Amino acid sequence: RTRGRPLVVSATSGGGKSTICRGMLERYSDLGLSISHTTRRPRGKERDGVDYFFVTRQDFERMIAEGKFVEWAQVHGELYGTSRQQLESILLSGKDALLDIDIQGGFKIKRLYPESWLVFLLPPSFDVLLERLQKRATESEEKLRLRLQTAVSELERSLGYEYFVVNDELEKAIEEVQNVRLGLKKK
Ligand code: ADP
Ligand code: 5GP
């Protein structure tokens, strides 16, 4: 079996990463989700070992020291990381690995795995982004402000990405991400 390739999907907060990644995983069985470790608290229906591995800061720092992460980053004040074991087990199985990670992480993955695809999801507009974040209502006003501030710098840094997909109509956006994998989408 040939080795799978990493498919990195990044976006600003509220850009639709979780929604689109879920849709991709439901449709394509030759994709595996790389489950990240994080120090942030679970929100809503999130479950440990499904959405993230939720760990303490101490555990996370021990994993860094032991070299367990292929990449890790601080995002919105919390630590997030991709474990080598998670990613490698998917790639070795022959599946492509779906990574819902931030831009800094995406660039690191591309350096280590040049065969990766880097996809950035764009919100249809800033107003729609704000609306979606408010509707999701998972953050306090203060955290929401922090996420919007980060969004502006994320949009700037996303210019180094390879593929851009506007997350307007969900089905269409999912199809476009799949087209990246199929080699049908232009850079
Ligand atoms: P992220 O994981 O990037 O932070 P989410 O997937 O949680 O973003 O999406 C943020 C909010 O926007 C969620 O409430 C989600 O249901 C909604 N959403 C995502 N994509 C769309 C879309 N194409 N059309 C309408 N609402 C969407
Ligand atoms: P959230 O708290 O909304 O789930 O995620 C916050 C941000 O952290 C998102 O941009 C998400 O893509 C990113 N993220 C999640 N896991 C990882 C990871 O393992 N590495 C990096 N670099 N970013 C991650």
Side-chain angles (χ1 to χ4, degrees):
R1 235 182 181 182
T2 56
R3 216 176 130 78
R5 295 165 66 173
L7 172 63
V8 177
V9 177
S10 303
T12 62
S13 184
K17 294 178 296 293
S18 319
T19 308
I20 283 179
C21 287
R22 209 179 308 125
M24 290 290 291
L25 291 164
E26 278 165 11
R27 284 171 189 70
Y28 309 108
S29 57
D30 56 348
L31 258 186
L33 179 67
S34 164
I35 303 169
S36 295
H37 284 67
T38 184
T39 58
R40 86 148 160 76
R41 312 273 91 215
R43 64 184 174 220
K45 294 198 182 105
E46 286 182 335
R47 279 186 301 148
D48 185 45
V50 177
D51 302 280
Y52 280 106
F53 294 105
F54 295 100
V55 296
T56 62
R57 196 145 186 130
Q58 197 181 4
D59 284 343
F60 197 101
E61 281 166 358
R62 180 158 29 80
M63 288 182 71
I64 295 174
E66 291 170 351
K68 295 274 167 71
F69 294 116
V70 281
E71 65 78 29
W72 65 273
Q74 180 158 328
V75 191
H76 316 304
E78 300 285 351
L79 302 176
Y80 296 84
T82 306
S83 82
R84 191 180 311 277
Q85 193 267 328
Q86 266 292 306
L87 182 56
E88 278 299 328
S89 71
I90 297 168
L91 299 178
L92 280 173
S93 77
K95 291 185 178 186
D96 291 333
L98 189 59
L99 289 88
D100 168 346
I101 65 176
D102 85 322
I103 300 169
Q104 330 167 47
F107 289 138
K108 283 183 205 151
I109 293 293
K110 183 74 188 180
R111 228 176 295 135
L112 292 168
Y113 301 87
E115 71 276 24
S116 316
W117 297 283
L118 299 184
V119 180
F120 194 84
L121 304 175
L122 292 165
S125 70
F126 202 77
D127 286 347
V128 171
L129 176 64
L130 183 58
E131 221 170 80
R132 286 181 186 169
L133 274 171
Q134 282 172 335
K135 209 160 133 201
R136 190 175 71 184
T138 47
E139 275 80 32
S140 62
E141 271 301 314
E142 189 199 329
K143 289 236 163 118
L144 197 74
R145 255 201 310 278
L146 182 63
R147 281 176 180 249
L148 281 176
Q149 271 171 22
T150 312
V152 176
S153 65
E154 281 171 332
L155 281 171
E156 284 169 8
R157 283 180 297 134
S158 73
L159 291 173
Y161 262 48
E162 302 174 294
Y163 300 96
F164 296 88
V165 170
V166 179
N167 179 20
D168 191 351
E169 208 265 299
L170 188 61
E171 286 304 319
K172 207 172 127 269
I174 290 172
E175 193 186 317
E176 273 194 64
V177 176
Q178 175 64 1
N179 280 343
V180 170
R181 279 179 84 204
L182 298 176
L184 297 174
K185 191 168 162 62
K186 287 220 182 88
K187 281 194 189 179

